[in-house]
Amino acid sequence: MVAKPRAIYWFRTDLRLHDSPALQAALDLRPECLYPIWCWDPHYVYRARVGPNRWQFLLDCQSDLSASITKLNSKSKLFVIREAPQTVLPKLFKAWRISHLVFERDTDPYARDRDEKVLEMAKEAGVEVVMTRHGRTLYDPDDLVRENGGKPTMSMSQVQHVGAHFSKSSSNPLIYDK
């Protein structure tokens, strides 16, 4: 008999439940247990130049997300962890006997480097990684850059112009169907 998956769903920039492709991928595993986590990454905490209102908004979103999780399952909540993902995830893989790590791919340079390290650590720990391409953006950011001749789009009108050229088989916006 094959053991049921034990998964971590790593919330990052997409703090919602109702239409997250990555969260759906985690649920599709039909895990024995699913640990929803958020890591206070010191890189962002100490280097981000944001005001108190933005920090408060993030705290409020985390609180709302945790309450939403608890509303769906009274025995669960959002685990908010004050440690870099690169150091805490390997500890959690072992402590919680994790078989799967699920998250949405991020696009900024630091996040890409961090995620490569996390992927290596997961592989070393025997943890399968499920990383969805996009969910918090209308189009996959890499597809937009590629379609725009290798240059990033700098305005919404550029995004609309480039997005109009995508074929049905390429990166399409996510459609939320109630």
Side-chain angles (χ1 to χ4, degrees):
M1 183 165 129
V2 177
K4 289 191 90 168
R6 296 177 61 85
I8 289 176
Y9 179 70
W10 180 14
F11 282 97
R12 292 134 60 101
T13 55
D14 192 1
L15 299 178
R16 64 187 203 271
L17 298 178
H18 68 280
D19 64 346
S20 169
L23 180 57
Q24 186 61 55
L27 295 171
D28 287 347
L29 294 170
R30 299 194 182 281
E32 172 187 351
C33 58
L34 176 64
Y35 295 95
I37 70 165
W38 164 273
C39 295
W40 277 102
D41 190 329
H43 173 82
Y44 293 116
V45 172
Y46 298 113
R47 292 191 175 131
R49 295 179 52 150
V50 299
N53 290 341
R54 186 165 178 188
W55 284 120
Q56 187 60 55
F57 178 73
L58 179 56
L59 292 170
D60 292 344
C61 288
Q62 289 174 339
S63 179
D64 182 63
L65 177 61
S66 190
S68 295
I69 291 168
T70 301
K71 191 174 183 181
L72 293 172
N73 179 350
S74 63
K75 296 180 181 179
S76 189
K77 63 180 177 180
L78 178 66
F79 292 90
V80 178
I81 302 166
R82 291 182 3 179
E83 189 172 342
Q86 304 91 311
T87 58
V88 76
L89 285 171
K91 296 175 195 175
L92 297 178
F93 295 158
K94 188 174 182 179
W96 293 343
R97 300 184 334 262
I98 297 301
S99 62
H100 291 75
L101 171 66
V102 184
F103 60 92
E104 181 183 325
R105 186 181 61 136
D106 210 335
T107 56
D108 76 65
Y110 165 76
R112 286 179 186 235
D113 289 343
R114 177 203 57 213
D115 293 351
E116 281 301 315
K117 290 179 178 104
V118 168
L119 289 170
E120 289 172 26
M121 288 182 241
K123 185 177 180 180
E124 288 172 14
V127 172
E128 184 177 330
V129 174
V130 178
M131 183 170 46
T132 63
R133 285 185 62 196
H134 71 293
R136 65 183 165 91
T137 57
L138 190 58
Y139 296 102
D140 183 285
D142 289 338
D143 289 348
L144 283 173
V145 169
R146 195 172 18 265
E147 187 70 26
N148 198 37
K151 295 179 274 184
T153 52
M154 302 303 284
S155 68
M156 187 46 105
S157 61
Q158 281 184 322
V159 169
Q160 290 171 322
H161 177 74
V162 173
H165 292 93
F166 284 132
S167 70
K168 290 288 182 200
S169 62
S170 68
S171 180
N172 286 311
L174 296 174
I175 299 171
Y176 180 60
D177 187 11
K178 293 184 178 181

